[in-house]
């Protein structure tokens, strides 16, 4: 079972963005990916008021292939908490997505911590954009990890281009951090991650469909993890995080 | 003919290293015929020494390594003198690394060096995408100084894990002399858009090894949706044309 834990669906004509569920499915099929976590590129509430329905409809149209993450802005805390409860409880969403660049919300600030704690209470992980920009670095998101020990926090892109070593360090320090492989350009760092924090805390993602799941999958192949670890990274761990494991 | 547009040779002040024999072995492993080779940042700042080392490695590589000269603009007129010396010794282009040498790509100190490269008839390659030092629009600005000389930007002209640098990189590409390399660029749609918007002549395969992994960087081009003719230009034809690389059976 191959599961891509980071794909996007969006429709915002004013930004020229249109990535459909079918685009994701085509990219998944080309890459041999069975299932994917999908989320918008915009936050709720925000530019695309129909973002929740967009993801819900995509998942309903492709049962057993697409699983929703709701992307929220912690600045609208009460509304975001309501939306998170609705998405997970009523619509079957499997996770929360936060992007501090687009929300301008620091991961260590109270609204984010409160929202991430709620995600933990609801039993779903939180996927952060974790790259090189201020407020998205591993040390920034480690503030959340420390404050929310009962919530699983996924570092999407595992530190980007220049913060991968810091991602490894904070993952060693905080047991609730999981590293996700998309976009980050160094295959050997995936192997290092498996060696330092264990294969159970590393997951495959592509950031597709605008980046290639086929290419991103090759990065894990080049990392040469061995059969058991590769199976966990490529899908076994995601099955647990998505609540699909038997 | 497969040409890798950028490999770094030597032991860098910043801790990474690749020697010529290892580079050639890795090239063999991924099917690369020729690489453009640049020196790393030397501990102690002696750029003449590392330029000579790369030129010497190239001279012993049976034509498989093409040397570019690296200079530090903070050396003032000395950088221009070093560029002239290195080109006379065999360097086929100028390489600038604004981040590692800590200068802004469009700083006025850079202009005489870039103009000297144009006068000498050698292309300019710049390590691109580093915040504060080598941003897309800074690089486009510098490219305007010598509009008739090829200006090659590593890393697609950008580094950003959200793709936020793409917009400025595409503005830089409005300069007809600007070309971008594929190294480190995870956004397949950006690579494909460069070809669709600016033409396949503007995109250049490069691995930037050892910063990035050769076999994975090659797959960025192999797996993207290019025609065979486009792919041939990207994988070698463009570097051959820009740097005047000729090989038996290959028409640049």
């Amino acid at each position: 079972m191959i599961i891509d834990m980071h794909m996007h669906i969006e429709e915002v004509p004013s930004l020229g963005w249109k990535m459909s569920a079918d685009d994701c499915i085509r990219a998944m099929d080309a890459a041999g990916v069975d299932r994917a976590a999908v989320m918008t590129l915009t936050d709720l509430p925000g530019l695309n008021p129909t973002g929740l329905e967009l993801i819900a409809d995509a998942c309903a149209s492709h049962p057993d292939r697409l699983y929703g993450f709701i992307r929220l802005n912690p600045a609208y805390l009460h509304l975001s908490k309501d939306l998170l409860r609705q998405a997970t409880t009523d619509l079957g969403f499997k996770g929360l997505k936060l992007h501090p660049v687009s929300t301008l919300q620091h991961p260590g600030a109270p609204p984010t911590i409160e929202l991430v704690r709620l995600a933990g209470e609801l039993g779903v992980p939180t996927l952060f954009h974790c790259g090189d920009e201020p407020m998205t670095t591993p040390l920034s998101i480690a503030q959340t990890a420390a404050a929310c020990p009962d919530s699983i926090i996924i570092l999407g892109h595992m530190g980007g281009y220049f913060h991968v070593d810091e991602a490894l360090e904070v993952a060693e320090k905080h047991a609730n951090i999981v590293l996700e492989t998309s976009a980050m350009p160094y295959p050997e760092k995936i192997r290092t991650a498996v060696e330092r924090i264990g294969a159970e805390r590393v997951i495959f993602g592509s950031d597709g469909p605008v980046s290639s799941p086929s290419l991103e999958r090759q990065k894990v192949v080049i990392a040469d993890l061995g059969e058991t670890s590769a199976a966990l990274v490529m899908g076994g761990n995601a099955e647990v995080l998505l609540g699909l494991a038997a | 003919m497969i040409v890798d547009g950028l490999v770094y040779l030597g032991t860098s002040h910043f801790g990474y290293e690749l020697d010529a024999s290892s580079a050639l072995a890795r090239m063999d492993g991924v099917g690369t015929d020729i690489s453009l080779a640049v020196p790393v940042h030397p501990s102690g700042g002696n750029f003449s020494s590392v330029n000579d080392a790369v030129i010497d490695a190239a001279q012993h590589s049976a034509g498989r390594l093409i040397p570019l000269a690296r200079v530090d603009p903070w050396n003032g007129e000395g950088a221009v003198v070093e560029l002239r010396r290195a080109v006379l010794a065999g360097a086929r282009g100028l390489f600038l690394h604004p981040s590692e040498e800590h200068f802004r790509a469009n700083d006025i100190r850079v202009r005489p060096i870039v103009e000297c490269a144009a006068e000498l008839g050698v292309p300019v390659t710049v390590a691109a995408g580093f915040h504060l030092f080598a941003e897309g629009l800074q690089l486009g600005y510098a490219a305007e100084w010598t509009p008739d000389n090829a200006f090659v930007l590593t890393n697609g002209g950008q580094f950003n894990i959200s793709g936020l640098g793409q917009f400025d990189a595409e503005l830089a590409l409005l300069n007809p002399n600007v070309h971008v390399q594929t190294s480190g660029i995870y956004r397949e749609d950006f690579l494909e858009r460069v070809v669709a918007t600016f033409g396949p002549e503007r995109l250049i395969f490069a691995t930037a090894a050892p910063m990035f992994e050769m076999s994975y960087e090659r797959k960025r081009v192999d797996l993207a949706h290019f025609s065979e003719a486009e792919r041939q230009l990207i994988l070698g034809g463009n570097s051959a044309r820009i740097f005047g690389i000729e090989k038996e059976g290959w028409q640049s």
Side-chain angles (χ1 to χ4, degrees):
Chain A
M1 175 76 72
I2 307 297
I3 302 178
D4 184 337
M5 282 293 281
H6 193 161
M7 293 194 83
H8 291 286
I9 294 171
E10 187 57 279
E11 289 182 14
V12 183
S14 63
L15 296 176
W17 292 349
K18 183 167 176 58
M19 300 162 209
S20 69
D22 288 343
D23 291 333
C24 288
I25 294 293
R26 275 191 292 273
M28 291 162 62
D29 288 344
V33 171
D34 300 295
R35 297 174 173 176
V38 292
M39 58 213 76
T40 54
L41 286 163
T42 57
D43 312 294
L44 282 170
L47 273 172
N48 185 358
T50 65
L52 183 63
E53 294 77 12
L54 183 69
I55 298 299
D57 290 348
C59 296
S61 298
H62 300 279
D64 300 326
R65 299 223 52 196
L66 302 182
Y67 298 86
F69 273 45
I70 183 169
R71 182 162 162 164
L72 293 170
N73 186 342
Y76 301 91
L77 183 58
H78 295 299
L79 179 54
S80 286
K81 289 173 74 172
D82 288 344
L83 285 167
L84 180 59
R85 288 192 192 93
Q86 178 193 356
T88 54
T89 305
D90 301 338
L91 298 172
F93 278 48
K94 300 294 187 181
L96 166 66
K97 168 69 184 289
L98 296 176
H99 198 311
V101 171
S102 61
T103 63
L104 300 176
Q105 292 294 295
H106 194 284
T112 295
I113 289 171
E114 191 166 336
L115 194 58
V116 171
R117 282 180 177 159
L118 176 60
E121 291 165 13
L122 293 167
V124 298
T126 299
L127 169 60
F128 272 93
H129 170 91
C130 176
D132 306 300
E133 307 94 338
M135 299 197 291
T136 76
T137 65
L139 290 174
S140 294
I141 301 170
Q143 310 294 314
T144 328
C148 309
D150 297 324
S151 299
I152 294 173
I153 292 172
I154 302 169
L155 302 189
H157 317 308
M158 54 187 287
Y161 286 98
F162 304 108
H163 291 81
V164 179
D165 289 338
E166 288 179 15
L168 293 165
E169 289 166 12
V170 302
E172 284 180 320
K173 186 173 182 181
H174 301 285
N176 56 331
I177 285 180
V178 172
L179 302 180
E180 180 267 301
T181 61
S182 68
M184 181 279 300
Y186 318 109
E188 75 276 11
K189 294 295 186 184
I190 298 173
R191 184 184 177 94
T192 303
V194 166
E195 290 169 351
R196 286 175 55 175
I197 64 170
E200 297 79 7
R201 291 170 57 203
V202 182
I203 57 174
F204 165 67
S206 76
D207 206 16
V210 292
S211 59
S212 163
S214 297
L215 176 67
E216 293 291 330
R217 190 173 171 184
Q218 287 302 310
K219 190 164 58 190
V220 183
V221 171
I222 292 170
D224 192 20
L225 304 179
E227 188 175 346
T228 302
S229 293
L232 289 170
V233 171
M234 291 305 298
N237 297 329
E239 282 190 274
V240 175
L241 289 170
L242 295 174
L244 306 176
Chain B
M1 181 170 63
I2 307 298
V3 181
D4 183 339
L6 181 66
V7 298
Y8 294 88
L9 292 187
T11 300
S12 170
H13 179 70
F14 301 110
Y16 60 93
E17 62 183 342
L18 181 65
D19 61 38
S21 61
S22 298
L24 290 166
R26 291 190 197 180
M27 289 161 58
D28 288 338
V30 299
T32 294
D33 298 300
I34 291 172
S35 289
L36 281 297
V38 306
V40 296
H41 182 99
S43 291
N46 186 341
F47 283 77
S48 297
S49 175
V50 291
N51 283 330
D52 286 343
V54 172
I55 291 167
D56 182 66
Q59 288 171 342
H60 291 87
S61 70
R64 299 191 64 199
L65 299 173
I66 307 290
L68 308 185
R70 178 167 178 165
V71 302
D72 182 352
W74 292 109
N75 289 333
E77 176 61 21
V80 175
V81 170
E82 173 58 18
L83 174 61
R84 290 186 185 280
R85 186 197 70 81
V87 169
L88 195 62
R92 302 275 287 275
L94 165 66
F95 178 73
L96 297 171
H97 202 310
S99 175
E100 289 193 344
E101 271 81 86
H102 279 243
F103 63 90
R104 185 164 48 85
N106 57 337
D107 188 292
I108 197 63
R109 296 171 182 82
V110 181
R111 183 164 186 164
I113 305 166
V114 169
E115 289 177 339
C116 178
E119 175 200 325
L120 295 169
V122 297
V124 179
T125 300
V126 188
F130 298 92
H131 181 51
L132 304 179
F133 299 111
E135 301 163 358
L137 292 180
Q138 293 174 329
L139 295 159
Y141 184 112
E144 291 177 8
W145 289 334
T146 53
D148 296 324
N149 197 31
F151 209 81
V152 180
L153 311 182
T154 72
N155 316 319
Q158 54 167 310
F159 269 135
N160 186 276
I161 214 77
S162 287
L164 298 179
Q166 296 177 108
F167 311 104
D168 286 351
E170 290 181 34
L171 289 170
L173 278 159
L174 292 174
N175 295 286
N177 61 328
V178 169
H179 306 70
V180 295
Q181 295 183 336
T182 57
S183 52
I185 294 302
Y186 74 96
R187 285 285 293 265
E188 186 177 74
D189 63 332
F190 172 79
L191 298 177
E192 293 171 355
R193 196 163 60 247
V194 168
V195 169
T197 305
F198 301 99
E201 299 82 6
R202 308 286 293 281
L203 187 63
I204 295 171
F205 163 63
T207 68
M211 304 301 294
F212 299 127
E213 208 274 341
M214 275 191 183
S215 64
Y216 186 60
E217 294 302 318
R218 170 67 185 270
K219 290 183 186 300
R220 295 191 195 279
V221 179
D222 289 346
L223 292 174
H225 303 88
F226 300 128
S227 71
E228 193 51 40
E230 291 168 341
R231 203 179 313 278
Q232 284 189 18
L233 286 171
I234 296 162
L235 283 174
N238 292 333
S239 280
R241 182 186 70 253
I242 292 167
F243 291 91
I245 301 167
E246 294 180 0
K247 189 178 180 183
E248 188 176 350
W250 174 265
Q251 295 186 345
S252 63

